[in-house]
Amino acid sequence: MELRQLTQFVAVADTLNFRAAAERLHMTQPPLSVSIRKLEEEIGAELFVRSTHQVRLTKAGEAALTDARAALFHAEEVARIARSTAHGFSGGLRVGFVGSAKNILLPRLLPAFQKHYPDIVLKFSELTNAELIDSLEQNHLDVGIVRVPLSRRSDIRYITVERDHFVVALPTRHRLAAKEGVSLDDLRDEPFIDYTTSDLPGLHALTSILFEEAKFSPRVSQEAVQVQTVLFLVESGFGWALVPSSSSRRAGTGVRFRQLVPAAPRPAIGLAVAYNPTFAGVTVQRFCELAETLAR
Protein backbone atom coordinates (compact mmCIF):
# COMPACT_ATOMS: atom_id res chain seq x y z
CA MET A 1 0.00 0.00 0.00
CA GLU A 2 1.35 3.41 -1.01
CA LEU A 3 0.51 6.93 0.09
CA ARG A 4 -0.47 7.61 -3.52
CA GLN A 5 -3.23 4.98 -3.24
CA LEU A 6 -4.49 6.49 0.02
CA THR A 7 -4.58 9.93 -1.61
CA GLN A 8 -6.64 8.52 -4.44
CA PHE A 9 -8.96 6.70 -2.04
CA VAL A 10 -9.61 9.90 -0.04
CA ALA A 11 -10.23 11.88 -3.25
CA VAL A 12 -12.89 9.40 -4.41
CA ALA A 13 -14.40 9.28 -0.90
CA ASP A 14 -14.65 13.09 -0.84
CA THR A 15 -16.27 13.43 -4.25
CA LEU A 16 -18.07 10.06 -4.57
CA ASN A 17 -17.38 10.49 -8.25
CA PHE A 18 -14.44 8.84 -10.05
CA ARG A 19 -14.37 11.44 -12.82
CA ALA A 20 -14.33 14.39 -10.39
CA ALA A 21 -11.69 12.66 -8.26
CA ALA A 22 -9.52 12.02 -11.33
CA GLU A 23 -9.73 15.70 -12.27
CA ARG A 24 -8.72 16.71 -8.76
CA LEU A 25 -5.75 14.35 -8.95
CA HIS A 26 -4.79 15.54 -12.46
CA MET A 27 -5.13 12.08 -13.97
CA THR A 28 -7.59 10.19 -16.16
CA GLN A 29 -10.40 8.07 -14.80
CA PRO A 30 -9.37 4.55 -15.98
CA PRO A 31 -6.01 4.46 -14.12
CA LEU A 32 -7.74 5.78 -11.00
CA SER A 33 -10.35 3.00 -11.16
CA VAL A 34 -7.60 0.40 -11.61
CA SER A 35 -5.62 1.81 -8.68
CA ILE A 36 -8.65 1.71 -6.36
CA ARG A 37 -9.36 -1.89 -7.43
CA LYS A 38 -5.77 -2.86 -6.60
CA LEU A 39 -6.07 -1.15 -3.19
CA GLU A 40 -9.25 -3.11 -2.48
CA GLU A 41 -7.49 -6.33 -3.45
CA GLU A 42 -4.58 -5.53 -1.12
CA ILE A 43 -6.96 -4.74 1.74
CA GLY A 44 -9.22 -7.68 1.02
CA ALA A 45 -12.45 -5.68 1.12
CA GLU A 46 -14.46 -3.46 -1.19
CA LEU A 47 -14.23 0.23 -0.29
CA PHE A 48 -16.93 1.51 -2.65
CA VAL A 49 -20.27 0.34 -3.98
CA ARG A 50 -20.38 1.28 -7.66
CA SER A 51 -23.47 1.54 -9.83
CA THR A 52 -24.32 3.28 -13.09
CA HIS A 53 -25.54 6.44 -11.36
CA GLN A 54 -23.97 6.34 -7.90
CA VAL A 55 -20.77 5.71 -5.95
CA ARG A 56 -20.91 5.31 -2.19
CA LEU A 57 -18.64 4.07 0.58
CA THR A 58 -19.10 0.60 1.99
CA LYS A 59 -18.94 0.04 5.74
CA ALA A 60 -15.31 -1.02 5.26
CA GLY A 61 -14.65 2.18 3.28
CA GLU A 62 -16.19 4.35 6.01
CA ALA A 63 -14.08 2.59 8.63
CA ALA A 64 -10.88 3.01 6.62
CA LEU A 65 -11.41 6.67 5.69
CA THR A 66 -10.53 8.23 9.06
CA ASP A 67 -7.25 6.32 9.32
CA ALA A 68 -6.43 7.05 5.67
CA ARG A 69 -6.80 10.79 6.35
CA ALA A 70 -4.68 10.48 9.48
CA ALA A 71 -1.95 8.53 7.64
CA LEU A 72 -1.74 11.19 4.92
CA PHE A 73 -1.71 13.95 7.51
CA HIS A 74 1.11 12.42 9.53
CA ALA A 75 3.14 11.71 6.40
CA GLU A 76 2.93 15.39 5.50
CA GLU A 77 3.57 16.36 9.13
CA VAL A 78 6.91 14.52 9.12
CA ALA A 79 8.08 16.53 6.10
CA ARG A 80 6.66 19.79 7.48
CA ILE A 81 8.37 19.43 10.84
CA ALA A 82 11.66 18.67 9.12
CA ARG A 83 11.30 21.76 6.94
CA SER A 84 10.37 23.91 9.93
CA THR A 85 13.39 22.70 11.88
CA ALA A 86 15.74 23.40 8.98
CA HIS A 87 14.33 26.75 7.87
CA GLY A 88 12.64 28.24 10.94
CA PHE A 89 9.13 27.96 12.32
CA SER A 90 6.63 28.67 9.52
CA GLY A 91 3.54 27.28 7.84
CA GLY A 92 -0.20 27.83 8.04
CA LEU A 93 -2.93 27.45 10.64
CA ARG A 94 -6.65 27.15 9.89
CA VAL A 95 -8.55 28.82 12.73
CA GLY A 96 -12.31 28.64 13.17
CA PHE A 97 -14.29 30.54 15.79
CA VAL A 98 -17.76 31.34 17.09
CA GLY A 99 -18.83 34.95 16.71
CA SER A 100 -18.56 35.79 20.42
CA ALA A 101 -14.82 35.01 20.35
CA LYS A 102 -14.40 38.39 18.61
CA ASN A 103 -15.46 40.20 21.77
CA ILE A 104 -12.48 39.63 24.07
CA LEU A 105 -10.52 36.45 23.33
CA LEU A 106 -9.42 36.90 19.71
CA PRO A 107 -8.43 40.59 20.09
CA ARG A 108 -6.05 39.46 22.87
CA LEU A 109 -4.86 36.20 21.34
CA LEU A 110 -4.24 37.03 17.68
CA PRO A 111 -1.83 40.00 18.10
CA ALA A 112 0.17 37.98 20.64
CA PHE A 113 0.34 34.97 18.31
CA GLN A 114 1.46 37.10 15.37
CA LYS A 115 4.15 38.68 17.54
CA HIS A 116 5.52 35.31 18.66
CA TYR A 117 5.11 33.48 15.32
CA PRO A 118 5.19 36.07 12.52
CA ASP A 119 5.88 33.49 9.79
CA ILE A 120 2.74 31.44 10.42
CA VAL A 121 -0.10 32.35 8.05
CA LEU A 122 -3.52 32.30 9.71
CA LYS A 123 -6.70 31.50 7.78
CA PHE A 124 -10.00 32.27 9.53
CA SER A 125 -13.55 30.90 9.37
CA GLU A 126 -16.51 32.08 11.49
CA LEU A 127 -18.83 29.11 12.12
CA THR A 128 -21.38 27.77 14.56
CA ASN A 129 -20.33 25.47 17.39
CA ALA A 130 -21.65 22.39 15.57
CA GLU A 131 -19.87 23.37 12.35
CA LEU A 132 -16.61 23.90 14.23
CA ILE A 133 -16.71 20.45 15.80
CA ASP A 134 -17.56 18.84 12.45
CA SER A 135 -14.69 20.71 10.75
CA LEU A 136 -12.20 19.68 13.43
CA GLU A 137 -13.30 16.04 13.22
CA GLN A 138 -12.88 16.05 9.43
CA ASN A 139 -9.53 17.91 9.54
CA HIS A 140 -10.93 20.94 7.72
CA LEU A 141 -9.69 23.14 10.59
CA ASP A 142 -6.60 22.98 12.79
CA VAL A 143 -8.01 24.76 15.84
CA GLY A 144 -11.40 26.11 16.79
CA ILE A 145 -12.58 28.64 19.37
CA VAL A 146 -15.75 26.95 20.62
CA ARG A 147 -18.42 27.66 23.19
CA VAL A 148 -18.22 25.26 26.18
CA PRO A 149 -19.45 23.07 27.63
CA LEU A 150 -19.97 21.06 24.46
CA SER A 151 -23.38 19.47 24.08
CA ARG A 152 -22.37 16.40 22.09
CA ARG A 153 -19.85 13.58 22.47
CA SER A 154 -16.67 13.99 20.47
CA ASP A 155 -13.00 12.98 20.51
CA ILE A 156 -12.10 16.66 20.12
CA ARG A 157 -10.03 17.99 23.01
CA TYR A 158 -10.24 21.52 24.32
CA ILE A 159 -8.69 23.94 26.80
CA THR A 160 -11.01 26.47 28.43
CA VAL A 161 -9.43 29.91 28.10
CA GLU A 162 -12.30 32.32 28.86
CA ARG A 163 -14.94 31.88 31.54
CA ASP A 164 -18.17 33.80 31.31
CA HIS A 165 -21.67 34.04 32.75
CA PHE A 166 -25.16 34.87 31.53
CA VAL A 167 -26.54 38.39 31.75
CA VAL A 168 -29.96 39.73 30.82
CA ALA A 169 -30.14 41.71 27.57
CA LEU A 170 -33.01 44.21 27.35
CA PRO A 171 -34.10 46.85 24.83
CA THR A 172 -33.00 50.32 25.94
CA ARG A 173 -36.57 51.48 26.55
CA HIS A 174 -37.65 48.38 28.46
CA ARG A 175 -39.39 49.05 31.76
CA LEU A 176 -36.61 47.20 33.63
CA ALA A 177 -33.65 48.74 31.76
CA ALA A 178 -32.87 51.13 34.61
CA LYS A 179 -32.66 48.42 37.27
CA GLU A 180 -29.19 47.27 38.33
CA GLY A 181 -30.25 43.65 38.58
CA VAL A 182 -33.14 41.73 37.02
CA SER A 183 -34.69 38.45 38.20
CA LEU A 184 -36.40 35.83 36.09
CA ASP A 185 -39.63 36.53 37.97
CA ASP A 186 -39.43 40.13 36.72
CA LEU A 187 -39.51 38.75 33.17
CA ARG A 188 -42.04 35.95 33.60
CA ASP A 189 -44.60 37.37 31.16
CA GLU A 190 -42.10 38.97 28.75
CA PRO A 191 -41.31 37.54 25.26
CA PHE A 192 -38.00 35.65 25.30
CA ILE A 193 -35.52 35.30 22.40
CA ASP A 194 -33.99 31.81 22.48
CA TYR A 195 -31.14 30.08 20.63
CA THR A 196 -31.91 27.69 17.79
CA THR A 197 -31.50 24.13 19.06
CA SER A 198 -29.93 22.52 15.98
CA ASP A 199 -27.36 25.22 15.22
CA LEU A 200 -26.31 26.37 18.69
CA PRO A 201 -27.14 23.43 20.97
CA GLY A 202 -24.68 24.53 23.68
CA LEU A 203 -26.27 27.86 24.64
CA HIS A 204 -29.79 26.52 24.08
CA ALA A 205 -29.11 23.60 26.42
CA LEU A 206 -27.49 25.83 29.05
CA THR A 207 -30.34 28.33 29.15
CA SER A 208 -32.76 25.41 29.38
CA ILE A 209 -30.87 24.08 32.43
CA LEU A 210 -30.99 27.51 34.05
CA PHE A 211 -34.75 27.79 33.49
CA GLU A 212 -35.36 24.25 34.72
CA GLU A 213 -33.49 24.89 37.97
CA ALA A 214 -35.39 28.15 38.46
CA LYS A 215 -38.71 26.40 37.66
CA PHE A 216 -39.25 29.09 35.04
CA SER A 217 -40.94 28.63 31.66
CA PRO A 218 -40.03 31.45 29.27
CA ARG A 219 -42.48 32.68 26.65
CA VAL A 220 -40.34 32.11 23.54
CA SER A 221 -41.15 34.59 20.79
CA GLN A 222 -38.10 34.30 18.50
CA GLU A 223 -35.10 32.02 17.90
CA ALA A 224 -31.73 32.80 16.36
CA VAL A 225 -28.45 31.01 15.62
CA GLN A 226 -25.81 33.57 16.61
CA VAL A 227 -25.53 35.68 19.76
CA GLN A 228 -25.19 38.83 17.62
CA THR A 229 -28.49 38.02 15.91
CA VAL A 230 -30.14 37.51 19.29
CA LEU A 231 -28.88 40.96 20.35
CA PHE A 232 -30.16 42.50 17.12
CA LEU A 233 -33.63 41.11 17.89
CA VAL A 234 -33.43 42.48 21.44
CA GLU A 235 -32.39 45.88 20.12
CA SER A 236 -35.31 45.75 17.68
CA GLY A 237 -37.74 45.26 20.55
CA PHE A 238 -38.73 41.63 20.02
CA GLY A 239 -38.02 40.60 23.62
CA TRP A 240 -35.31 39.90 26.16
CA ALA A 241 -32.49 37.34 26.10
CA LEU A 242 -29.79 35.63 28.14
CA VAL A 243 -26.38 36.23 26.57
CA PRO A 244 -22.74 35.75 27.57
CA SER A 245 -21.53 38.86 29.42
CA SER A 246 -18.63 39.25 26.97
CA SER A 247 -21.20 40.06 24.26
CA SER A 248 -21.72 43.50 25.80
CA ARG A 249 -18.37 44.58 24.33
CA ARG A 250 -19.75 44.63 20.78
CA ALA A 251 -23.45 45.24 21.22
CA GLY A 252 -25.38 48.14 19.73
CA THR A 253 -26.48 51.18 21.71
CA GLY A 254 -30.07 49.94 21.77
CA VAL A 255 -29.36 47.15 24.27
CA ARG A 256 -28.93 47.31 28.03
CA PHE A 257 -27.20 44.51 29.95
CA ARG A 258 -28.27 43.77 33.51
CA GLN A 259 -27.02 41.23 36.03
CA LEU A 260 -29.26 38.25 36.65
CA VAL A 261 -30.31 38.19 40.32
CA PRO A 262 -29.91 36.10 42.21
CA ALA A 263 -26.81 35.07 40.28
CA ALA A 264 -27.15 31.52 38.97
CA PRO A 265 -24.36 29.26 40.35
CA ARG A 266 -24.57 27.28 37.14
CA PRO A 267 -24.50 26.58 34.27
CA ALA A 268 -20.98 27.88 33.72
CA ILE A 269 -20.18 28.96 30.20
CA GLY A 270 -17.02 29.99 28.40
CA LEU A 271 -14.81 29.74 25.35
CA ALA A 272 -12.18 27.09 24.67
CA VAL A 273 -9.46 26.37 22.14
CA ALA A 274 -10.38 23.01 20.61
CA TYR A 275 -8.32 20.68 18.44
CA ASN A 276 -8.34 17.17 17.03
CA PRO A 277 -5.53 15.12 18.67
CA THR A 278 -5.36 12.88 15.58
CA PHE A 279 -4.19 15.77 13.41
CA ALA A 280 -2.70 18.26 15.88
CA GLY A 281 0.85 19.26 14.94
CA VAL A 282 3.44 21.55 16.48
CA THR A 283 1.74 24.74 15.28
CA VAL A 284 -1.53 23.76 16.96
CA GLN A 285 0.39 23.02 20.15
CA ARG A 286 1.99 26.48 20.11
CA PHE A 287 -1.39 28.16 19.53
CA CYS A 288 -2.97 26.28 22.44
CA GLU A 289 -0.04 27.02 24.75
CA LEU A 290 -0.22 30.75 24.05
CA ALA A 291 -4.00 30.85 24.52
CA GLU A 292 -3.65 29.01 27.84
CA THR A 293 -0.95 31.44 28.97
CA LEU A 294 -3.13 34.47 28.23
CA ALA A 295 -5.99 32.92 30.19
CA ARG A 296 -4.01 32.74 33.43
Side-chain angles (χ1 to χ4, degrees):
M1 187 183 302
E2 300 176 2
L3 290 175
R4 170 183 57 81
Q5 291 174 295
L6 294 182
T7 300
Q8 293 168 346
F9 165 54
V10 170
V12 177
D14 284 344
T15 60
L16 295 179
N17 185 296
F18 277 78
R19 179 178 296 176
E23 291 176 357
R24 177 190 292 188
L25 296 166
H26 306 290
M27 62 188 298
T28 57
Q29 183 176 339
L32 175 60
S33 299
V34 171
S35 181
I36 294 297
R37 283 293 187 194
K38 288 183 177 179
L39 179 61
E40 290 174 322
E41 290 172 3
E42 290 181 36
I43 293 174
E46 287 191 347
L47 300 173
F48 297 98
V49 176
R50 305 159 176 84
S51 66
T52 304
H53 303 291
Q54 186 182 37
V55 176
R56 60 183 175 85
L57 284 164
T58 62
K59 292 294 184 182
E62 292 175 353
L65 183 57
T66 298
D67 285 334
R69 292 189 195 279
L72 292 172
F73 170 82
H74 287 298
E76 173 59 27
E77 189 71 352
V78 169
R80 191 190 67 78
I81 291 174
R83 291 193 299 267
S84 296
T85 302
H87 302 106
F89 204 57
S90 62
L93 192 69
R94 301 165 297 173
V95 182
F97 58 89
V98 291
S100 51
K102 296 182 292 186
N103 298 327
I104 299 174
L105 180 57
L106 287 179
R108 293 182 60 207
L109 176 56
L110 296 184
F113 188 81
Q114 287 184 307
K115 179 180 178 181
H116 284 80
Y117 308 106
D119 295 327
I120 294 178
V121 178
L122 299 176
K123 182 179 180 181
F124 300 105
S125 301
E126 183 174 353
L127 303 166
T128 65
N129 239 37
E131 290 170 338
L132 287 168
I133 300 303
D134 287 341
S135 295
L136 289 168
E137 289 175 341
Q138 297 169 21
N139 194 30
H140 294 159
L141 287 175
D142 298 309
V143 293
I145 310 298
V146 300
R147 176 67 61 187
V148 290
L150 299 179
S151 59
R152 70 183 237 197
R153 291 185 176 275
S154 175
D155 292 329
I156 299 303
R157 296 180 186 174
Y158 62 88
I159 304 165
T160 301
V161 293
E162 180 181 296
R163 287 171 173 80
D164 208 339
H165 63 280
F166 281 122
V167 294
V168 177
L170 300 168
T172 302
R173 296 186 179 182
H174 192 278
R175 61 184 179 83
L176 300 174
K179 291 188 65 175
E180 184 175 340
V182 177
S183 71
L184 291 180
D185 281 338
D186 292 332
L187 298 161
R188 187 168 294 278
D189 297 321
E190 301 278 347
F192 175 67
I193 302 167
D194 203 354
Y195 299 98
T196 304
T197 309
S198 59
D199 290 305
L200 203 59
L203 287 181
H204 176 84
L206 292 170
T207 55
S208 297
I209 291 171
L210 190 153
F211 290 139
E212 183 178 345
E213 292 187 346
K215 296 180 173 56
F216 179 86
S217 298
R219 183 161 67 86
V220 177
S221 62
Q222 302 286 335
E223 293 184 348
V225 174
Q226 298 284 10
V227 175
Q228 290 303 315
T229 306
V230 168
L231 290 174
F232 168 76
L233 293 173
V234 171
E235 187 174 14
S236 300
F238 284 93
W240 66 281
L242 289 174
V243 299
S245 62
S246 61
S247 303
S248 63
R249 298 293 184 94
R250 291 180 176 268
T253 56
V255 182
R256 292 290 180 268
F257 297 91
R258 295 294 177 257
Q259 294 300 319
L260 184 64
V261 292
R266 66 187 185 97
I269 58 176
L271 293 174
V273 177
Y275 62 95
N276 188 332
T278 301
F279 304 114
V282 176
T283 309
V284 171
Q285 180 183 344
R286 297 290 181 263
F287 189 92
C288 292
E289 288 173 350
L290 182 58
E292 194 171 16
T293 300
L294 292 175
R296 291 171 185 166

